[in-house]
């Protein structure tokens, strides 16, 4: 692993590899902790190359904030990245990032997010903070040109602003929000936690406890913002040394203040313990839960997913049928499969509907642009071309957006390779269904045992190769989400696996919401 401190150096390293490999960026300000480790491990699992940037950004600190005392430990951070398997660390100086530091100011061209997103929550009290964040993140995106960039959900306002930034500026990067990492007490990990004394760390646990109390009230059917915030405020008041800066409830995407939660709300808090500022948050969903099922080929996830949909009355979001539908559309239009610009143009305007045909939601009619293609998408011609279509970035981007629109309604179960990590990263239940290569080969062998042209050894080799390709592919690699429950099916029947996942679903805290 190498350390680069200049733009020329990191670009020279990445440029020869960019076309063939997926590149992840984990932007940090250093002082790495287990929360950063989680981001890095997600990035390593889903990409070919991982770059960790370490840059204490002067632009995001106010004149009274802790820029001068912010922890800096580059050598220690570098060694941790090396141990984790990071490919490169980018640790530029302010001047390398185009920032001129004078005695009274920091000068550079600023990227300014929408005013309504930076005038609430932390932005209300940290003037210029998010302009500074947006400016440096945009510069990092331009320098690294990552396939994916990883941010923690603890900084929920930052994550929402960066997602809006990417959308508004049409930046070709996927933003991956990763779960907040907490210690055993529930305290969200933060570089600023090291400022806290042992007693203050114990006091800081009240942040998570107060959020949980408001969440418990929400689950009883209380959706009024004022009541939820007052509950949180009263719980925080039980610790006298906590100085509350704000308690607010906003839309998780737009950050617009909410009077009541119609679909989802971001309950966010910021407090001071002595001079240390801490933030935390929780998203409250009114929709029915989503189940995201991922796993390698041949593990039985499709069969299990359909059975669960029928048993629980959830909509089976057949993502495979969606890719088949656009493949049919491309073939019907006479567009060559390898003409990616024409395919992208066609698919980006296509509308797919999955229409339940019975009360259990398990039988689905598939339409595209109003035409019923339920049977047409199962033809050998479509089957032969669907993998090539699904591998195209523009196709996956368009369909993931449609899948996420379905997810907003809740009550959905879907399976694939990246459902829990990319399509529904906020799913209430994520399950990674897997089995050993030997077991999956044996099952396939039982299906094909009358074929003399296939051996069990060949099947094992083919499945192993498929696993390698699926887990290392540039677009949507196979990966177990950090918060997914792994279900190994080697010694389990289909009925047992189905029952296990249904049990997990029924034990969800949010099932009654």
């Amino acid at each position: 692993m190498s350390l680069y401190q200049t733009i020329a150096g990191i670009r020279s390293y990445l440029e020869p590899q960019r076309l063939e490999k997926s590149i992840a960026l984990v932007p940090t300000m250093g002082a790495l902790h287990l929360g950063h480790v989680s981001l890095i491990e997600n990035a390593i699992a889903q990409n070919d190359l991982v770059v960790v940037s370490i840059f204490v950004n002067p632009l995001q600190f106010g004149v009274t904030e802790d820029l001068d005392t912010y922890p800096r430990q580059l050598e220690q951070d570098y060694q941790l990245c090396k141990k984790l398997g990071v490919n490169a660390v980018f640790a530029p100086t302010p001047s390398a990032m185009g920032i001129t530091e004078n005695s009274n100011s920091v000068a550079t061209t600023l990227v300014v997010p929408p005013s309504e997103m930076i005038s609430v929550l932390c932005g209300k009290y940290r003037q210029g903070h998010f302009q500074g964040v947006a400016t440096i993140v945009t510069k990092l995106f331009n320098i690294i040109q990552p396939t994916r960039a990883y941010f923690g959900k603890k900084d929920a306002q930052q994550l929402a602003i960066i997602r809006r930034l990417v959308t508004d500026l049409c930046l070709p990067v996927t933003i991956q929000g990763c779960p907040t990492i907490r210690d055993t007490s529930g305290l969200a990990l933060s570089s600023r936690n090291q400022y806290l004394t042992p007693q203050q760390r114990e006091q800081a646990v009240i942040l998570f406890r107060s959020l949980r109390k408001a969440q418990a009230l929400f689950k009883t059917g209380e959706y009024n913002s004022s009541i939820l915030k007052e509950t949180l405020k009263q719980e925080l008041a039980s610790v006298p040394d906590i100085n509350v800066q704000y308690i607010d409830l906003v839309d998780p995407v737009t950050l617009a203040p909410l009077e009541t939660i119609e679909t989802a709300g971001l309950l966010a808090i910021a407090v001071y313990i002595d001079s240390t500022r801490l933030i935390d948050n929780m998203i409250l969903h009114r929709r029915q839960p989503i189940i995201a099922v991922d796993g390698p080929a041949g593990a039985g996830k499709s069969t299990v997913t359909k059975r669960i949909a029928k048993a629980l009355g959830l909509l089976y979001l057949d993502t495979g049928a969606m890719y088949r539908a656009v493949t049919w559309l491309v073939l019907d239009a006479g567009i060559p499969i390898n003409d990616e610009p024409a395919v992208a143009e066609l698919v980006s305007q296509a509308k797919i509907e999955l229409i339940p045909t019975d009360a259990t939601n398990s039988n689905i009619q598939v339409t595209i642009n109003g035409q019923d293609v339920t049977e047409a998408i199962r033809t050998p011609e479509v089957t032969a071309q669907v993998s090539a279509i699904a591998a195209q970035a523009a196709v996956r981007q368009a369909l993931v957006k449609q899948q996420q629109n379905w997810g907003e309604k809740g009550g959905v179960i879907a399976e694939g390779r990246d459902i829990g990590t990319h399509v529904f990263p906020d799913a209430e239940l994520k399950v990674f269904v897997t089995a050993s290569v030997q077991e999956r080969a044996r099952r396939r062998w039982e299906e094909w045992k009358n074929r003399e042209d296939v051996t069990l050894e060949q099947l094992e080799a083919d499945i192993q190769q498929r696993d390698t390709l699926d887990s290392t592919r540039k677009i949507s690699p196979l990966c177990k989400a950090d918060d997914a429950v792994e279900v190994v099916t080697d010694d389990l029947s289909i009925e047992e696996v189905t029952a296990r996942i249904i049990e997990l679903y029924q034990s969800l805290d949010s099932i009654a919401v």
Side-chain angles (χ1 to χ4, degrees), residues 12 41 74-75 91 146 157 166 185 221 227 255 258 278 319 341 349 384 388 447 468 491 509:
S12 180
E41 288 177 340
L74 180 57
E75 179 58 29
Q157 185 173 15
V166 166
S185 70
I227 295 173
L255 304 181
L258 297 177
L278 301 175
T319 58
Q349 301 178 65
E447 295 175 9
T468 301
D491 299 317
D509 288 341

Side-chain angles (χ1 to χ4, degrees), residues 25 27 29 53 55 57-61 97 99 108-115 117-118 123 126-143 149 151 155 157-169 171 173 175 255:
L25 171 65
M29 293 208 301
S53 65
F55 181 66
N57 176 16
L59 299 179
Q60 67 186 71
F61 287 83
M97 294 296 285
I99 298 172
T108 189
T109 301
L110 292 176
V111 175
V112 181
S115 60
M117 298 189 79
I118 61 176
R126 304 186 70 188
Q127 298 296 317
H129 171 75
F130 288 110
Q131 292 94 319
V133 170
T135 298
I136 292 303
V137 168
T138 302
K139 290 189 177 193
L140 288 170
F141 287 169
N142 284 331
I143 294 164
F151 297 85
D155 296 305
Q157 185 173 15
Q158 172 181 276
L159 180 59
I161 288 170
I162 290 169
R163 282 178 166 156
R164 176 69 178 270
L165 180 77
V166 166
T167 298
D168 286 355
L169 299 184
L171 300 176
V173 56
I175 302 302
L255 304 181

Side-chain angles (χ1 to χ4, degrees), residues 187-203:
L187 177 63
L189 299 189
S190 168
S191 299
R192 289 189 169 93
N193 287 356
Q194 61 187 281
Y195 297 155
L196 302 173
T197 66
Q199 180 183 0
Q200 288 172 336
R201 288 182 70 93
E202 291 181 10
Q203 293 173 324

Side-chain angles (χ1 to χ4, degrees), residues 350-484:
K351 182 179 181 181
I352 300 171
E353 294 284 350
L354 303 176
I355 306 169
T357 58
D358 59 29
T360 66
N361 287 341
S362 56
N363 293 312
I364 302 295
Q365 178 189 45
V366 183
T367 71
I368 188 164
N369 295 340
Q371 184 167 347
D372 184 350
V373 293
T374 308
E375 300 299 327
I377 64 175
R378 303 296 173 183
T379 63
E381 293 77 14
V382 170
T383 300
Q385 301 295 342
V386 67
S387 292
I389 289 293
Q392 296 183 25
V395 172
R396 296 200 73 87
Q397 183 177 9
L399 292 196
V400 165
K401 184 176 181 180
Q402 292 196 34
Q403 291 158 14
Q404 290 172 336
N405 289 339
W406 276 99
E408 290 178 2
K409 306 171 186 177
V412 164
I413 184 170
E415 56 88 10
R417 283 192 309 270
D418 64 342
I419 303 299
T421 55
H422 181 44
V423 182
F424 297 126
D426 294 322
E428 286 77 7
L429 176 59
K430 301 176 188 177
V431 183
F432 192 80
V433 177
T434 188
S436 66
V437 170
Q438 293 74 23
E439 175 62 17
R440 286 182 280 144
R442 186 194 65 76
R443 293 173 186 172
R444 188 70 56 84
W445 172 252
E446 287 295 319
E447 295 175 9
W448 292 359
K449 59 185 178 182
N450 293 327
R451 288 181 54 176
E452 297 180 357
D453 60 329
V454 179
T455 67
L456 184 59
E457 291 75 16
Q458 286 175 319
L459 286 174
E460 287 186 11
D462 289 346
I463 288 174
Q464 185 65 66
Q465 182 181 30
R466 171 73 180 273
D467 285 355
T468 301
L469 290 173
D470 281 350
S471 60
T472 59
R473 62 188 298 161
K474 186 173 182 178
I475 299 173
S476 301
L478 170 68
C479 178
K480 175 179 173 290
D482 269 357
D483 51 347

Side-chain angles (χ1 to χ4, degrees), residues 24 63 73 87 95 193 239 248 286 331 360 367 415 417 423 464 477 487 492 509:
V63 292
Q73 50 188 52
N87 300 97
S95 60
N193 287 356
V239 178
D248 217 338
R286 281 189 65 174
L331 294 174
T360 66
T367 71
E415 56 88 10
R417 283 192 309 270
V423 182
Q464 185 65 66
V487 178
L492 300 176
D509 288 341

